[in-house]
Amino acid sequence: QVQLVESGGGLVQPGGSLRLSCAASGSIFIINDMGWYRQAPGNQRELVARISSSGNTVLADSVKGRFTISRDNARNTVYLQMNSLKPEDTAVYYCNADRVVTVARSTLAVWGQGTLVTVSS
């Protein structure tokens, strides 16, 4: 079993910053890709950013220049630093770990429970 626990969501004013964290635990051998997705009411879930185990990153065009993704492989943790937040960033943010290889050498994709980010004055 592999679990993801997210933290760091909340209410912030436009132009403010938040940092999301997501820690993976369980029978993990290696996590290849970790990332963040978000889903606003009435919208589909969309990719925000993802990072490979070697540090290669992909960011959505809407967050480039404002958000940064990073990870600590030793702690199986991924971070999303969100700066210059806008009301349209309001959504539930979900952590994802993809191509997780377990100690038993099975491969999983795992989702966190989601954390709400609200950008409002």
Side-chain angles (χ1 to χ4, degrees):
Q1 289 282 10
V2 176
Q3 294 181 327
L4 301 178
V5 178
E6 300 140 332
S7 60
L11 173 64
V12 64
Q13 292 186 341
S17 298
L18 281 177
R19 188 191 195 210
L20 305 183
S21 300
C22 172
S25 62
S27 302
I28 299 168
F29 177 68
I30 189 172
I31 303 176
N32 284 287
D33 300 307
M34 300 189 79
W36 292 93
Y37 291 71
R38 67 186 180 187
Q39 187 167 18
N43 290 357
Q44 291 186 335
R45 191 173 297 187
E46 62 177 5
L47 173 69
V48 177
R50 71 171 181 262
I51 183 168
S52 70
S53 58
S54 60
N56 294 320
T57 61
V58 174
L59 281 86
D61 287 343
S62 59
V63 306
K64 286 180 180 177
R66 300 188 298 123
F67 292 10
T68 303
I69 188 169
S70 60
R71 66 187 282 179
D72 183 337
N73 289 332
R75 297 180 177 178
N76 290 322
T77 299
V78 64
Y79 306 95
L80 185 68
Q81 178 66 43
M82 304 185 293
N83 299 327
S84 303
L85 282 160
K86 304 175 181 180
E88 51 263 44
D89 295 317
T90 295
V92 177
Y93 284 69
Y94 296 92
C95 179
N96 169 257
D98 198 18
R99 298 191 296 147
V100 179
V101 181
T102 68
V103 171
R105 296 303 192 269
S106 58
T107 303
L108 307 173
V110 187
W111 289 91
Q113 80 284 358
T115 184
L116 178 62
V117 171
T118 303
V119 185
S120 175
S121 55

